[in-house]
Amino acid sequence: MNTTNRALSIIAFYLSEYDMKAVNALGFQTRSEAINSISHNVGNGNNYLKLRRDEFDALPESSSSRKGWRNRPPIREVVEMAAYLRQFSFDEITDIVKALIEHEDSIPVNLTDSQNDSVLDTVDENEFESLINFSDPTARLVVKTETGTYRVYNQSKVVQLKILYRGCCQICGINPVAQFNTNICEAHHILPFSESQNNDSNNIIILCPNHHRLIHKLKPDFDPEKLTFSVKGKDILHVVLDYHLRRN
Ligand SMILES: [Zn+2]
Ligand SMILES: [Zn+2]
């Protein structure tokens, strides 16, 4: 396998490591049901997920009872990803995997549901980002969509992706406050949510506050193939740390 789909690789690790426990936690009955449905949602052939799961199965530390693909030594990426992902608990990685899989369709909501909603009528990107990054993530955030209906914004994706990166920025690759053992990185929508209304994980990047400000200031274009930001055709910033964006 020469191509790399980072999100599917995480899911493949999860299915390898936890097998039926993972299948059931995602709401599926059988392995093949899980593979087919996830591949469909994440946008890749079923074979990819299956083959990559087999590669994780074949790792010497694997707890999987399946034999896996032992024809050749595992590629470095699989070894490194498994080592990184083993830091997370089953519950943590289950939530991360759900955040990677789920695609949200606009579900109209009844605004009289709760008096405590944060309701955004016109979505100003900066105001919106400060809400998703700095407000209580358990509070309900309701946004008006292009079609004029309201939908509940799923903040859990932002929360889970921040957990996945453990405080590190995808551009500089470091946790700027590591010595304080905390996480101040922020979620940024690559295509502004106010325009795209795309809250899928492949439209969210995790950035340190400096790089986040810089991106807002320069408004560069993003190339999802190269994982670079460019201004007037010139690459100015590269994603150096990626566990979820690369899908090809
Ligand atoms: Zn940074
Ligand atoms: Zn932003």
Side-chain angles (χ1 to χ4, degrees):
M1 267 174 134
N2 299 316
T3 55
T4 302
N5 182 313
R6 301 295 271 173
L8 279 176
S9 293
I10 292 180
I11 299 161
F13 165 81
Y14 177 65
L15 293 175
S16 163
E17 195 77 356
Y18 297 107
D19 199 22
M20 284 311 292
K21 189 179 173 188
V23 167
N24 294 334
L26 296 177
F28 300 109
Q29 303 299 317
T30 64
R31 294 184 186 99
S32 61
E33 191 195 336
I35 298 259
N36 293 343
S37 173
I38 294 166
S39 300
H40 177 77
N41 262 22
V42 183
N44 211 305
N46 296 0
N47 228 20
Y48 187 101
L49 188 54
K50 227 181 284 177
L51 286 174
R52 184 120 294 183
R53 184 198 60 188
D54 291 348
E55 288 189 80
F56 282 110
D57 284 348
L59 292 179
E61 317 77 28
S62 170
S63 57
S64 170
S65 56
R66 282 185 312 274
K67 275 191 156 199
W69 187 19
R70 293 185 193 277
N71 296 337
R72 62 167 199 190
I75 62 168
R76 207 182 74 187
E77 188 199 330
V78 163
V79 175
E80 287 176 356
M81 195 163 233
Y84 183 74
L85 295 174
R86 286 210 175 90
Q87 301 174 86
F88 298 96
S89 69
F90 173 75
D91 289 342
E92 281 174 326
I93 197 146
T94 299
D95 289 340
I96 289 169
V97 165
K98 283 181 181 169
L100 293 172
I101 295 172
E102 280 164 13
H103 168 72
E104 287 163 62
D105 288 316
S106 231
I107 304 158
V109 291
N110 184 352
L111 280 182
T112 57
D113 276 2
S114 158
Q115 302 304 314
N116 301 323
D117 297 341
S118 271
V119 181
L120 289 175
D121 245 325
T122 46
V123 187
D124 168 81
E125 193 69 12
N126 289 318
E127 181 194 2
F128 178 70
E129 286 211 342
S130 79
L131 278 169
I132 62 169
N133 281 302
F134 305 115
S135 69
D136 173 6
T138 62
R140 209 168 81 135
L141 180 54
V142 181
V143 293
K144 193 174 190 180
T145 67
E146 278 173 340
T147 57
T149 55
Y150 289 88
R151 93 172 198 208
V152 177
Y153 178 84
N154 180 355
Q155 293 204 70
S156 70
K157 281 187 195 177
V158 159
V159 172
Q160 296 312 323
L161 289 176
K162 287 181 184 176
I163 291 171
L164 173 62
Y165 286 91
R166 301 177 73 98
C168 293
C169 165
Q170 290 192 250
I171 288 179
C172 53
I174 60 162
N175 177 347
V177 292
Q179 81 244 49
F180 302 105
N181 193 27
T182 189
N183 185 344
I184 59 166
C185 282
E186 300 166 4
H188 169 72
H189 283 94
I190 296 166
L191 299 173
F193 182 82
S194 51
E195 293 162 23
S196 66
Q197 308 201 332
N198 178 355
N199 188 44
D200 289 346
S201 59
N202 61 1
N203 192 38
I204 300 171
I205 187 167
I206 302 300
L207 301 172
C208 70
N210 281 354
H211 278 120
H212 196 184
R213 283 298 134 249
L214 185 66
I215 294 279
H216 276 250
K217 185 130 195 174
L218 300 179
K219 298 185 171 57
D221 298 315
F222 183 69
D223 183 330
E225 301 285 319
K226 295 195 293 180
L227 298 187
T228 55
F229 289 93
S230 66
V231 172
K232 291 178 184 156
K234 190 169 182 278
D235 290 347
I236 52 161
L237 293 165
H238 301 262
V239 172
V240 302
L241 185 64
D242 178 44
Y243 294 110
H244 82 288
L245 281 177
R246 185 174 293 285
R247 302 277 169 112
N248 56 355

